[in-house]
Amino acid sequence: MNDGPAAGGDGRAVVRRRSAVAALVAAAALGLVTGRFVLPPPGPATHPAARPGAATPGSSASGSTSPTAPAGATPATAPAGATGPVTSANLLGPEAFGPDVDTGRIHVTDRFGDGAYANAACSGEKTLAQTLGGRGAHFRGLMTTTRTSPDDPTVALGSGNQVAREIAAETPSPSLAQNFADRLLLEEVPCQEAVPGHWVYGPTTTVRLAPDVTASWMGTYRGDLNTTGRAPEGTEPCGGIAVLRSGNHYAVLEVDACLGTATMDRVVRTALSQL
């Protein structure tokens, strides 16, 4: 999606354990047969490279879920899954990052079409259409500069100027949106392990607002925090990535601002409720 995490690493390739690869291959094979992709259970995590931005303290998450109600329960005010096309109203706005980031400094740019997403250092430089097919998606960049890439106006020029970037689209059915979200998350799971010194993602945290309104996110940890090949326990992330699904909508949200666990969880919940 942008070059945030890659800048925090040392350029070495992400190491995927044989078990992770086997799980992904098995999940992909099952998806081809059944039309659904089954996610492997989240393992211990290592945290990826830090990104410049406004650091926000938050409580460290050691678990893999952050429900608003008891596990398996649906909140009394659960939102309905989205229907119809994605519009600009479904995308995250600057206000979601206050007061941790000065919202008055955030500039928003939108476009519709195809383009790169997530982290090239992790999943490879691909476009959304190359991975999922489809006619295109809504891209939104939230930046603290008006200078943008000549190739993509949703990508900021200059290190530390990207606050976040969201990509969202609709599908013909909720089941296909779930399939797409599963596939996008599977691409990021291997980034929870990397050679020491390279940025990594932390454990997967699941947010569930309703049966068909869910999100999974992973915090980003700097390479200097990765001493074991995984994210350090009890250490705050610095931003992260989320894959979201609401009804027939799906989205990828990459947060470059250096937000801790509590703020990341709040931002992801806000994005999910709008999607």
Side-chain angles (χ1 to χ4, degrees), residues 24 27-28 31-32 35-39 117 123 126 128-133 176-190 243 252:
L24 294 177
L32 292 175
R36 290 293 301 276
F37 283 71
V38 180
L39 293 176
Y117 66 97
S123 58
K126 293 186 294 183
L128 200 63
Q130 286 173 331
T131 299
L132 302 176
L176 185 57
Q178 181 67 66
N179 180 289
F180 283 3
D182 288 350
R183 290 163 64 183
L184 290 168
L185 183 60
L186 279 169
E187 285 198 333
E188 307 303 325
V189 168
V243 178
V252 177

Side-chain angles (χ1 to χ4, degrees), residues 38-202:
V38 180
L39 293 176
T46 324
H47 297 335
R51 305 176 185 187
T56 302
S59 58
S60 179
S62 57
S64 60
T65 61
S66 58
T68 54
T74 299
T77 57
T83 59
V86 169
T87 70
S88 59
N90 298 121
L91 302 177
L92 202 61
E95 62 280 357
F97 296 92
D100 308 284
V101 180
D102 182 1
T103 57
R105 298 178 58 233
I106 298 178
H107 302 274
V108 176
T109 59
D110 291 315
R111 70 176 181 85
F112 181 86
D114 191 22
Y117 66 97
N119 301 301
C122 170
S123 58
E125 186 64 49
K126 293 186 294 183
T127 69
L128 200 63
Q130 286 173 331
T131 299
L132 302 176
R135 62 187 182 87
H138 293 264
F139 286 69
R140 168 166 289 184
L142 298 102
M143 300 159 283
T144 56
T145 179
T146 57
R147 299 176 63 245
T148 62
S149 167
D151 299 321
D152 188 336
T154 66
V155 176
L157 285 181
S159 176
N161 290 324
Q162 193 88 33
V163 175
R165 188 164 178 257
E166 185 174 12
I167 302 166
E170 70 275 0
T171 65
S173 68
S175 61
L176 185 57
Q178 181 67 66
N179 180 289
F180 283 3
D182 288 350
R183 290 163 64 183
L184 290 168
L185 183 60
L186 279 169
E187 285 198 333
E188 307 303 325
V189 168
C191 298
Q192 292 177 324
E193 297 182 5
V195 294
H198 194 286
W199 70 268
V200 290
Y201 283 140

Side-chain angles (χ1 to χ4, degrees), residues 14-29 40 186 189-190 193:
V14 174
V15 173
R16 298 181 175 88
R17 293 191 176 183
R18 292 181 181 177
S19 60
V21 173
L24 294 177
V25 171
L186 279 169
V189 168
E193 297 182 5

